[in-house]
Amino acid sequence: MNDRPLNPKPETRNPEPEPQPERSDEAWMSRALALAERAAQTGEVPVGAVIVKDGRVIGEGWNRPIAGHDATAHAEIMALRDAGAAENNYRLLDATLYVTLEPCMMCAGAMVHARIRRLVFGAYDPKSGVICSVMKLLDAPHLNHRITWEGGVLVEACGEKLSGFFKARRGA
């Protein structure tokens, strides 16, 4: 059972200090929230993701598994596909992925394979989040790549986007 408070302080696992980005993590997360709204407008769970490298967006995505009949069409995967195409390389070295919800196992694994340098997420996912809620997958010793991460960025806005969507879906 996860006893994490609903609005915890942001968590960080950064072995080395991060350089200051041109835009703040909050600004990039706001962009991911706007993409989450695109998912919500089509009846998908409102999760959005943005990949940034050298201060510019190289990929973005939002949840589309229902519309695409594709279980893998999570926001992070869509953003990784978009960034890979933009960079002509599936290896996204020195990139940061911003996503409104703590990633699942599939998405975390894809980020490792893509060599994402840093992950920033908003809301914690006590049911399937594998960064720090259900497990700490990125800390597994057998992984051949390490991703630094920070959770809880714009946690209230990200959480409200999700809870509002599910309340509306239930007709509450």
Side-chain angles (χ1 to χ4, degrees):
M1 177 99 187
N2 189 331
D3 57 345
R4 179 178 308 285
L6 290 177
N7 290 320
K9 292 183 180 179
E11 290 187 38
T12 302
R13 182 186 59 101
N14 288 323
E16 301 172 11
E18 293 293 325
Q20 289 296 323
E22 290 179 25
R23 291 180 65 183
S24 69
D25 287 343
E26 290 80 9
W28 293 121
M29 188 63 71
S30 291
R31 183 160 178 165
L33 274 164
L35 294 168
E37 182 57 31
R38 290 181 73 172
Q41 290 173 357
T42 61
E44 303 275 3
V45 175
V47 178
V50 175
I51 300 177
V52 177
K53 182 177 178 181
D54 299 326
R56 65 182 178 84
V57 173
I58 61 168
E60 54 186 26
W62 55 93
N63 269 1
R64 292 183 245 178
I66 297 168
H69 310 287
D70 180 358
T72 68
H74 290 192
E76 301 95 319
I77 300 297
M78 303 309 290
L80 287 166
R81 290 174 182 166
D82 193 38
E87 296 288 296
N88 287 320
N89 194 341
Y90 75 98
R91 296 276 170 100
L92 303 172
L93 304 171
D94 298 321
T96 299
L97 191 148
Y98 295 87
V99 63
T100 57
L101 180 64
E102 180 180 358
C104 70
M105 189 174 294
M106 173 185 69
C107 294
M111 285 184 265
V112 170
H113 286 292
R115 304 297 193 266
I116 291 293
R117 179 171 163 260
R118 182 171 176 249
L119 164 68
V120 179
F121 66 87
Y124 294 86
D125 186 349
K127 292 184 179 180
S128 61
V130 299
I131 307 306
C132 63
S133 292
V134 174
M135 64 187 317
K136 296 179 189 289
L137 183 64
L138 296 181
D139 292 338
H142 65 278
L143 293 178
N144 63 349
H145 176 70
R146 297 283 169 235
I147 299 173
T148 61
W149 61 270
E150 181 172 349
V153 174
L154 297 184
V155 67
E156 291 86 6
C158 293
E160 287 170 10
K161 175 77 69 184
L162 288 158
S163 61
F165 172 82
F166 287 112
K167 280 181 188 173
R169 183 181 261 185
R170 287 189 301 270

